[in-house]
């Protein structure tokens, strides 16, 4: 019995200690960009796959993101078809190109490949990979809140001395707004290496004391043939060697020795010093969700209603932020809910438009479409106006969800909120166009585009504004446009202030506001004739590119930024009234209740009632 007890203890000790690292080789591919404009990406990837299939003793392949150019369902299927011809197992994670313009908010990436994060052990090393955004809206890279929750659960089951290689599309630096959440966790474990893509070139890196390697893009770029990397793992090091498929293996270009990390140094962290400048501004409450929130909450009947990336619709008490009810959809939610007559309406990545009871969260009706519904609804009278990813825009009966009409003339997804103006519903799509559709019968009145051949400059993220029969939009090409609301003709445009996707309008309709890409808010007089900026205000928010709209109420203009700060400015004096930093991720368009209170939500899953 004593001998059995000793054997049991020895066995327990054996299983508690990670096995010694045994040598093996894997392949690192990155940034394949299937569907890129010049059409060579598919050939490059097929050549790489054929070459890998001829290599001996390859354990597996890891692909670190930007699998496609625009994340379309068609591009995802082509990529999977090519990669499935690999003779060894592959592990794959998405990059910003797969999620930023995704028709499904990333849902179809997951359904195509089966996951957007992975964990497996091989020859003594634990490999961990997870997704990174941005999702649908332009922003910095961001490890989703749900992935952080998953990582915490995984690390809790991982021995502290277990060797780890972490994989992500982005370098784990401030190109991700929450990079420190990864490094702070991995430093407490035996992390040997972080591998990434995104930069398209081979680089040896260091992430706060953790060795890193960026692998080259598989694309040929200006060379005749693309390339990938052999990664040889030994018990004391990792060696990277570039391979030109079908041509040659180049000399090894970097070696990472397995050394003990130095965790004594202090590194950059986001500063919240701006909050000390405006001590009168405080959060009355903060709700921290366990998934990203990438939409504007609705506020009605003392409830705050929003959806998250896990597909959950939540209602919180406006008074204290306590949960009141929740409802599960089967897809990520990027749709900002609209509320009327005790009903909440919003879309889901699962392809449905939902109508819920505001008081209870119970389902009243849902309408199935042919693709994800990322667009946000507007309700007027008994009609819900909403666009989806099935190349359609719908007018639905608020009572039962039946369609009054469907406009099918789109060539890309709708991800924003329409403008109701006169007898038109006006909205953009990721197909280069802005549309005006008759709100009574769904007939096309006009369509407009900024004159570019690529969809990346579409007026799709901007919520249009209008005054005196002129519609205003800003596009990713950093230009404001004034468009005749009746004919769809361009009246004037201006690009000197570098506005990008964020727009607003004054309460009296006299000015259109824009948020520029560097520090400034700009105002243009509304007019049918060409305008230059009426005023430009330096608000000091730094580099900026997120499409959070500017909202004027009670003589103040409110807006959020990419680094988690909400601003209130006085347009009359062009001075900042106050600012408040919530976290370090994108702030969605805010819901202003009055000049003293607003609801703000962030990509990192925070929903906050800010008061001053």
């Amino acid at each position: 019995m004593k001998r059995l007890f000793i054997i049991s203890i020895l066995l327990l000790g054996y299983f508690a200690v990670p096995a010694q690292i045994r040598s093996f080789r894997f392949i690192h591919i990155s940034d394949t960009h299937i569907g890129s404009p010049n059409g060579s990406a598919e050939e490059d990837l097929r050549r790489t796959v054929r070459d890998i299939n001829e290599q001996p003793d390859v354990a597996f392949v890891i692909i670190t993101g930007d699998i496609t150019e625009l994340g379309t369902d068609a591009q995802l299927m082509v990529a999977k078809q090519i990669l499935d011809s690999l003779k060894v197992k592959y592990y794959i994670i998405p990059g910003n190109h797969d999620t930023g313009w995704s028709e499904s908010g990333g849902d179809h990436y997951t359904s195509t490949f089966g996951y957007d994060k992975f964990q497996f052990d091989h020859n003594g090393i634990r490999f961990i990979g997870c997704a990174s955004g941005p999702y649908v809206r332009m922003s910095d890279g961001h490890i989703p809140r749900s992935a952080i929750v998953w990582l915490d659960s995984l690390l809790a089951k991982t021995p502290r001395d277990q060797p780890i290689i972490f994989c992500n599309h982005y370098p784990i630096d401030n190109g991700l707004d929450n990079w420190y959440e990864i490094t702070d966790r991995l430093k407490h474990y035996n992390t040997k290496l972080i591998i990434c893509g995104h930069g398209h070139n081979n680089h040896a890196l260091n992430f706060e004391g953790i060795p890193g390697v960026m692998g080259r893009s598989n694309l040929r770029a200006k060379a005749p043939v693309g390339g990938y990397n052999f990664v040889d793992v030994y018990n004391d090091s990792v060696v990277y060697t570039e391979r030109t498929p079908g041509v040659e293996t180049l000399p090894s270009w970097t070696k990472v020795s397995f050394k003990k990390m130095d965790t004594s140094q202090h590194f950059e962290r986001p500063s919240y010093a701006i909050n000390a400048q405006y001590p009168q501004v405080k959060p009355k409450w903060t709700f921290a969700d366990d998934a990203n929130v990438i939409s504007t909450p609705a506020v009605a009947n003392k409830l705050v209603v929003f959806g998250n990336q896990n597909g959950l619709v939540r209602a919180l008490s406006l008074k204290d932020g306590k949960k009141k009810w929740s409802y599960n959809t089967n897809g990520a939610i990027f749709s900002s809910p609209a509320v009327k007559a005790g009903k909440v309406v919003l879309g889901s990545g699962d392809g449905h438009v939902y109508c819920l009871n505001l008081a209870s969260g119970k389902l009243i009706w849902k309408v199935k479409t042919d693709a994800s519904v990322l667009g946000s609804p507007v309700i007027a009278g008994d009609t819900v106006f909403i666009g989806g990813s099935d190349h359609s825009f719908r007018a639905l009966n608020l009572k039962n969800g039946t369609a009054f009409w469907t406009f099918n003339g789109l060539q890309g997804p709708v991800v924003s909120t329409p403008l109701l103006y006169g007898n038109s519903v006006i909205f953009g799509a990721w197909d280069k166009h802005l549309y005006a559709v008759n709100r009574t019968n769904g007939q096309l009145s006009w369509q407009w585009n900024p004159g570019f051949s690529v969809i990346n400059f579409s007026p799709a993220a901007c919520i249009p504004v209008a005054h005196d029969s002129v519609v205003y939009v800003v596009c990713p090409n950093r230009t404001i446009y004034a468009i005749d609301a009746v004919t769809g003709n361009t009246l004037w445009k201006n690009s000197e202030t570098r506005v990008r996707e964020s727009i607003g309008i004054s309460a009296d309709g006299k000015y259109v506001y824009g948020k520029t890409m560097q520090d400034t808010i700009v105002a243009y007089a509304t007019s049918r004739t060409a305008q230059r900026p009426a005023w430009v205000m330096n608000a000091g928010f730094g580099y900026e590119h997120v499409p959070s709209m500017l909202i004027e109420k009670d003589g103040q203009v409110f807006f959020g930024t990419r680094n988690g700060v909400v601003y209130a400015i006085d347009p009359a004096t062009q001075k900042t009234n106050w600012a408040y930093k919530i976290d370090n991720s994108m702030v969605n368009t805010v819901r202003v209740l009055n000049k003293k209170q607003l609801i703000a939500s962030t990509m990192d899953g925070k929903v906050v009632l800010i008061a001053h």
Side-chain angles (χ1 to χ4, degrees), residues 351-365:
H352 291 85
V353 180
Y354 287 85
C355 180
L356 308 177
N357 182 288
L358 175 62
S360 66
K362 302 293 185 183
L363 180 68
I364 298 174
W365 54 258

Side-chain angles (χ1 to χ4, degrees), residues 122-251:
H122 187 83
N123 281 16
I125 292 184
R126 177 158 294 179
F127 288 82
I128 301 172
C130 71
S132 54
Y135 285 83
V136 182
R137 287 142 174 83
M138 185 68 182
S139 185
D140 291 330
H142 178 84
I143 305 293
R145 177 51 45 193
S146 56
I148 297 291
V149 172
W150 169 81
L151 181 61
D152 282 339
S153 174
L154 175 59
L155 290 176
K157 303 170 188 174
T158 299
R160 293 289 174 138
D161 54 355
Q162 167 69 60
I164 291 171
I165 292 179
F166 184 79
C167 315
N168 195 254
H169 175 63
Y170 280 88
I172 308 302
D173 57 23
N174 61 11
L176 287 165
D177 58 33
N178 60 343
W179 82 94
Y180 50 91
E181 294 207 72
I182 299 299
T183 54
D184 285 352
R185 285 163 169 80
L186 293 181
K187 285 176 188 177
H188 293 291
Y189 290 82
N190 188 18
T191 306
K192 299 298 187 185
L193 179 66
I194 293 174
I195 68 173
C196 66
H198 191 61
H200 285 223
N201 292 300
N202 289 328
H203 285 295
L205 302 167
N206 187 286
F207 304 123
E208 299 187 355
I210 304 173
V213 174
M214 175 187 289
R216 62 155 292 163
S217 168
N218 187 65
L219 299 175
R220 70 188 71 174
K222 296 180 180 179
V225 179
Y228 62 92
N229 279 286
F230 291 137
V231 188
D232 290 300
V233 181
Y234 304 100
N235 66 349
D236 63 349
S237 61
V238 167
V239 176
Y240 261 72
T241 305
E242 183 174 342
R243 169 73 180 167
T244 305
V247 180
E248 62 179 337
T249 301
L250 302 174

Side-chain angles (χ1 to χ4, degrees), residues 393-446:
F393 191 95
R394 291 172 169 82
L396 305 175
N397 189 323
L398 178 61
K399 294 179 181 178
N400 54 27
T402 57
F404 290 125
W405 52 259
T406 302
F407 174 71
N408 295 311
L410 309 177
Q411 299 301 312
V414 176
V415 300
S416 191
T417 306
L419 167 70
L420 301 183
Y421 187 70
N423 198 40
S424 293
V425 52
I426 301 169
F427 57 90
W430 282 115
D431 65 359
K432 300 179 286 190
H433 292 99
L434 186 76
Y435 295 86
V437 173
N438 185 294
R439 61 192 286 185
T440 303
N441 57 26
Q443 297 298 305
L444 178 67
S445 300
W446 49 260

Side-chain angles (χ1 to χ4, degrees), residues 399-521:
K399 294 179 181 178
N400 54 27
T402 57
F404 290 125
W405 52 259
T406 302
F407 174 71
N408 295 311
L410 309 177
Q411 299 301 312
V414 176
V415 300
S416 191
T417 306
L419 167 70
L420 301 183
Y421 187 70
N423 198 40
S424 293
V425 52
I426 301 169
F427 57 90
W430 282 115
D431 65 359
K432 300 179 286 190
H433 292 99
L434 186 76
Y435 295 86
V437 173
N438 185 294
R439 61 192 286 185
T440 303
N441 57 26
Q443 297 298 305
L444 178 67
S445 300
W446 49 260
Q447 69 183 55
W448 172 94
N449 73 69
F452 294 92
S453 60
V454 295
I455 72 167
N456 309 62
F457 293 140
S458 300
C462 171
I463 303 173
V465 297
H467 178 71
D468 199 18
S469 295
V470 180
V471 178
Y472 302 88
V473 293
V474 288
C475 296
N477 67 321
R478 305 162 195 179
T479 303
I480 183 171
Y481 296 89
I483 303 159
D484 189 295
V486 177
T487 66
N489 294 327
T490 302
L491 299 173
W492 57 268
K493 63 181 181 179
N494 186 280
S495 58
E496 63 186 282
T497 56
R498 295 170 62 84
V499 291
R500 175 176 176 146
E501 298 181 289
S502 296
I503 200 169
I505 193 165
S506 62
D508 59 12
K510 291 182 178 180
Y511 293 97
V512 174
Y513 304 120
K515 185 172 49 169
T516 78
M517 293 188 68
Q518 191 67 50
D519 282 320
T520 55
I521 299 298

